[in-house]
Amino acid sequence: MRMLTLALFVAALSQVTPAQSAELNAKEGLYEITINTEMPGMPMPSQSMRQCITQADIKNPQNIMKKAGQSDDCAIKNLQQESNKIAFSIACPSQQLSGQGEYRFSGESYSGTMSMTMPNPAGAGKPMSMTVKTTAKLVGPCK
C-alpha cells in the first residue's frame, strides 16, 4: 500500500510542466514521509519512509518517479498547480483505482490527502473507499 500511495503521488507530480506554474515551494533534502491509510472497517498502521528530493526533482518532478521505479499506469486529469499546491484527479486502470488528491508544499514540508475508490476485493457489494493522508518534513541533507 505504501508504494501505491507513493506511486500515485509521484504520478501526480510527474504530470507537472513548467508552463503550468512556478517551481514547487520545496527545499531539497531528505524527507521523512508518514502515510496514514484509512479504509472503513480495516484499521491500518501508519507507515513511514525516507526519500531524497533534489533540486532537479523540484524542477522536474518526473525524476521522483524514476527514483521510485514506478510504472506510469496512472493517468492524471484536471491538474491544477501553483507553487504551493497541486490538485488533481487520477485513474489507474490496471488496479481499477480512481480518485482525487491535493498536496500543499511549504518549503521544508508538504502534506496532502487522496481519496480513492476501488472494487470490493470480496467481489460483491459497492466499491471500497480509501483515504490516504500524507505528511512529510525535511530531516536533513540527502546522503
Side-chain angles (χ1 to χ4, degrees):
M1 189 63 64
R2 177 178 68 186
M3 291 311 292
L4 170 64
T5 303
L6 180 60
L8 294 175
F9 173 65
V10 168
L13 288 178
S14 72
Q15 303 301 313
V16 176
T17 63
Q20 289 172 309
S21 71
E23 185 175 292
L24 292 176
N25 179 17
K27 291 187 178 179
E28 69 179 332
L30 185 64
Y31 282 77
E32 177 81 26
I33 303 167
T34 302
I35 301 166
N36 293 299
T37 304
E38 301 169 357
M39 294 179 74
M42 295 180 85
M44 302 183 111
S46 294
Q47 298 179 1
S48 62
M49 59 185 283
R50 289 184 170 204
Q51 183 176 18
C52 181
I53 296 178
T54 66
Q55 192 63 35
D57 297 331
I58 294 166
K59 289 182 179 181
N60 181 9
Q62 191 167 0
N63 291 343
I64 299 171
M65 179 184 279
K66 291 175 186 173
K67 286 181 182 181
Q70 300 300 310
S71 69
D72 38 15
D73 173 53
C74 299
I76 302 300
K77 299 177 183 175
N78 307 319
L79 179 69
Q80 300 172 1
Q81 193 224 340
E82 301 168 13
S83 67
N84 68 335
K85 181 176 95 171
I86 295 176
F88 56 91
S89 59
I90 189 164
C92 304
S94 70
Q95 299 168 16
Q96 298 180 349
L97 293 170
S98 64
Q100 58 278 339
E102 181 175 296
Y103 289 86
R104 293 190 177 271
F105 298 81
S106 57
E108 295 185 0
S109 65
Y110 67 85
S111 63
T113 301
M114 287 190 353
S115 300
M116 295 176 282
T117 58
M118 68 189 97
N120 189 318
K126 62 182 179 178
M128 294 182 65
S129 62
M130 174 171 57
T131 302
V132 179
K133 296 179 181 178
T134 303
T135 56
K137 64 180 179 177
L138 182 66
V139 294
C142 295
K143 298 178 181 184

